[in-house]
Amino acid sequence: MGLLTDLRIDWQRRFGRRQPLPFTRVLEAPRRILCCPAQADGELLMALPAVRALRRHFDDSLLVLLIDDRKRNLWWFDDEVDEIIDFRPDQLRGARSREFRRLARLIGQKQFDLLVDLDHRPHQLLSYLFARAGIAVRFGVRFPGDEPFKNFAIRPAGLPADEVERNTAMVRQLGARRAEHFIHWPRPMISEGKREFRDRFQQDLAGGAAVAVEAGAWRRPDLLRFLRDAASFPAIRPILLNLAEPLDAAAAPQPIVYNSLSTVELAEILRHCQAFIGAKNDDFSVAYFLKVPALIAVARDERGLPAPDEHLTIVRCRGRLEFPHQQARQLLAELSSRVKGRRRADE
């Protein structure tokens, strides 16, 4: 952040004026609420049930969401809240940066009286910004260095590890109860281009069991090995998402490839898939909320994830992120067996 910013934050912590706060009035009937979810890959959608719980509980309040502008098109957030404030985390470099001053001015003008900070990581600069912007009650997880920037903090030790449950457990402290878990993506609007996309996808599947793989997360040798494994199961149709460069046709069977998909198009594909293989990112979040069985590899200490269950298998890697070949092959075998069983039943 820079020495000058560190000095400003330290001065504010030591000598900043602390005024009595109307906690009871604010928590019972906040006029304006700013909600800041975790913004890392694969985490923003995990906050939607908690945001909906806030909306339902504080139905007369203005509810505003702070969102990384690169994730603005991930979901129809405008349908969930009253307003959106976009920000650029990569440009938030210090208290003198243009982005810091823009955000502080914009948030200050809104005169929020309640901040709901759902992030599970410490972000001292943002905490300092929220305090500077004059938000009366600033609620979130207690981290070293946050005080006095959060004046209503809860200990992280008692929160669930499941990211969806963690968010909803936090807003429960404010009286908000969990809303529905289900998220529905509308199907693409039927225009000529969308109709061509849908028809092409249905033709590509050709009655097979589709397995979507987030290609951008893996090395090319891993993708080629996966495709050779999938070739052993003729009933399986591999789909590679976000493949940077075409694969060598001689090295492995050619898969179905989709690049630069909108979230609606991605959801349209995934709702027809029998499995998703990837890493912790926003594509995985879409698969998770569509209840597509997912197999993901993550770093050993990665957080911000839902708990493993019958729809989710998490492989934790000790070092570099590695494609889960063993688990993927087992998944292919189970899907293939299931498809063959259905075909025999139909006969």
Side-chain angles (χ1 to χ4, degrees):
M1 291 186 295
L3 178 60
L4 184 58
T5 297
D6 289 340
L7 290 173
R8 286 186 178 186
I9 291 175
D10 188 59
W11 188 93
Q12 179 73 20
R13 181 181 295 115
R14 292 171 183 268
F15 307 111
R17 298 175 61 184
R18 305 187 189 186
Q19 299 177 348
L21 294 171
F23 276 100
T24 302
R25 179 192 66 77
V26 170
L27 295 180
E28 284 184 355
R31 295 168 302 169
R32 296 170 178 267
I33 305 169
L34 176 64
C35 179
C36 179
Q39 308 280 334
D41 283 348
E43 294 179 2
L44 184 56
L45 289 181
M46 300 295 168
L48 273 177
V51 171
R52 289 176 170 176
L54 287 172
R55 174 74 289 165
R56 180 177 296 176
H57 183 66
F58 298 115
D59 56 343
D60 292 329
S61 305
L62 178 76
L63 180 57
V64 179
L65 210 55
L66 184 67
I67 294 181
D68 183 336
D69 69 344
R70 294 167 297 186
K71 299 179 181 293
R72 187 67 172 84
N73 296 322
L74 183 62
W75 177 250
W76 290 265
F77 296 105
D78 302 87
D79 296 337
E80 308 290 338
V81 297
D82 298 302
E83 293 182 23
I84 303 293
I85 295 178
D86 300 320
F87 80 114
R88 299 176 284 274
D90 56 323
Q91 297 182 25
L92 198 63
R93 301 189 181 97
R96 299 186 65 183
S97 66
R98 181 178 299 177
E99 182 64 3
F100 183 96
R101 288 180 282 133
R102 183 189 73 87
L103 266 186
R105 182 176 63 254
L106 182 58
I107 292 174
Q109 290 172 348
K110 296 288 185 181
Q111 297 183 332
F112 294 105
D113 47 5
L114 175 61
L115 165 73
V116 182
D117 184 353
L118 295 176
D119 207 339
H120 59 84
R121 298 177 182 85
H123 45 74
Q124 191 178 62
L125 185 60
L126 264 181
S127 295
Y128 172 58
L129 185 152
F130 295 141
R132 282 284 304 274
I135 303 178
V137 177
R138 301 178 295 278
F139 168 74
V141 176
R142 176 179 295 166
F143 294 113
D146 264 351
E147 297 179 0
F149 305 132
K150 287 177 184 168
N151 49 28
F152 181 17
I154 59 176
R155 298 182 183 277
L159 293 172
D162 182 300
E163 181 67 3
V164 176
E165 298 298 335
R166 187 191 68 83
N167 285 317
T168 51
M170 288 187 65
V171 300
R172 196 177 300 124
Q173 301 292 322
L174 302 171
R177 298 294 174 180
R178 175 171 169 167
E180 68 278 5
H181 191 110
F182 180 71
I183 289 180
H184 172 68
W185 277 267
R187 296 180 182 275
M189 293 179 62
I190 301 302
S191 64
E192 191 61 34
K194 299 297 184 183
R195 185 178 292 107
E196 290 178 3
F197 169 82
R198 187 185 60 184
D199 293 345
R200 175 197 163 193
F201 176 64
Q202 295 292 343
Q203 186 176 6
D204 285 343
L205 283 185
V211 176
V213 178
E214 176 55 51
W218 312 111
R219 298 174 301 167
R220 296 178 72 79
D222 289 319
L223 292 176
L224 293 173
R225 177 179 169 185
F226 168 77
L227 292 174
R228 287 193 291 268
D229 286 344
S232 303
F233 304 97
I236 304 298
R237 299 286 187 272
I239 297 176
L240 297 189
L241 306 173
N242 305 314
L243 181 65
E245 297 179 3
L247 298 172
D248 183 2
Q254 290 300 290
I256 306 167
V257 176
Y258 289 101
N259 293 322
S260 302
L261 294 169
S262 68
T263 306
V264 174
E265 291 171 337
L266 175 65
E268 182 70 12
I269 288 174
L270 289 177
R271 64 165 45 98
H272 290 94
C273 288
Q274 280 65 51
F276 172 87
I277 301 174
K280 175 178 172 277
N281 58 18
D282 295 320
D283 287 1
F284 155 68
S285 294
V286 175
Y288 174 76
F289 277 106
L290 287 172
K291 299 189 181 302
V292 178
L295 166 63
I296 61 171
V298 302
R300 182 171 57 178
D301 58 350
E302 185 67 75
R303 296 183 59 193
L305 289 160
D309 57 18
E310 67 272 16
H311 295 296
L312 174 60
T313 301
I314 300 176
V315 179
R316 294 192 176 270
C317 305
R318 292 182 177 272
R320 184 179 61 188
L321 212 62
E322 298 288 347
F323 191 96
H325 286 290
Q326 179 180 350
Q327 294 85 351
R329 187 170 181 84
Q330 180 179 350
L331 176 64
L332 293 174
E334 291 174 357
L335 286 176
S336 180
S337 176
R338 206 175 303 158
V339 171
K340 290 178 180 177
R342 284 200 301 265
R343 288 176 178 174
R344 283 196 294 269
D346 292 341
E347 292 173 357

